[in-house]
Amino acid sequence: MNGTGEGRGMAADGPQARAFVAALVRAGAPSVSGPAGLAVPEAAAAEVITVARRLALRAVPEGWWQPRPAPGLLGLATALVVDEHPSAPHWSAAERQRLATWVAVLIEHRGEEGVQELLGALTEG
C-alpha cells in the first residue's frame, strides 16, 4: 500500500461509496426486491414525512422559505432512504416524492448525520 490509498477497499460510508451510489442513481439502476434496508419500524407516510420535514427545516439556513434540494440529491434520497423504508411499498407516489424532497434537503444541509438523526427519530417513534 502506498500513500495514494491504493490497496485499500472502498469504505461503505466514504466518498467513493457515496459517489458510486450517486452514479447508480443517475444511471437509473433498477430496484432489487428483498427486505427493506432501513432498520426502522413500519409507519404511515404522513408520520415519516412529518419527522423528515421537521429535521430538514431545522437544518436549513435561516430565511429560507421554501427549501429546495440541490440537483441529484432527490434521486439519492429516494434510493438510499425512501425506497429502503419498510413501509415504502404501501405509500403513494406523491407521498414518496414529498418524503424524498425533505430527505434530500436534510442530506444537503446535514449530510449523513442528518440521515442518522432521521433514522434515530423514526426508531424512537
Side-chain angles (χ1 to χ4, degrees):
M1 180 176 357
N2 63 30
T4 64
E6 291 177 14
R8 285 191 279 169
M10 184 178 2
D13 62 347
Q16 290 176 321
R18 287 190 294 273
F20 176 72
V21 171
L24 289 175
V25 170
R26 283 192 304 274
S31 294
V32 178
S33 62
L38 296 182
V40 296
E42 290 195 19
E47 178 183 333
V48 179
I49 291 166
T50 298
V51 173
R53 180 180 184 274
R54 177 177 48 83
L55 295 173
L57 287 174
R58 277 194 347 209
V60 297
E62 194 171 321
W64 283 32
W65 67 273
Q66 186 175 6
R68 289 195 179 119
L73 287 180
L74 196 58
L76 191 65
T78 299
L80 296 180
V81 178
V82 178
D83 288 348
E84 294 300 320
H85 194 285
S87 299
H90 308 292
W91 299 338
S92 71
E95 290 169 328
R96 294 166 60 90
Q97 180 68 30
R98 277 194 301 278
L99 178 58
T101 299
W102 289 115
V103 172
V105 169
L106 187 58
I107 291 170
E108 180 173 19
H109 295 284
R110 298 260 304 140
E112 185 178 345
E113 288 180 14
V115 174
Q116 293 304 318
E117 186 178 12
L118 173 63
L119 296 180
L122 293 175
T123 301
E124 292 170 4

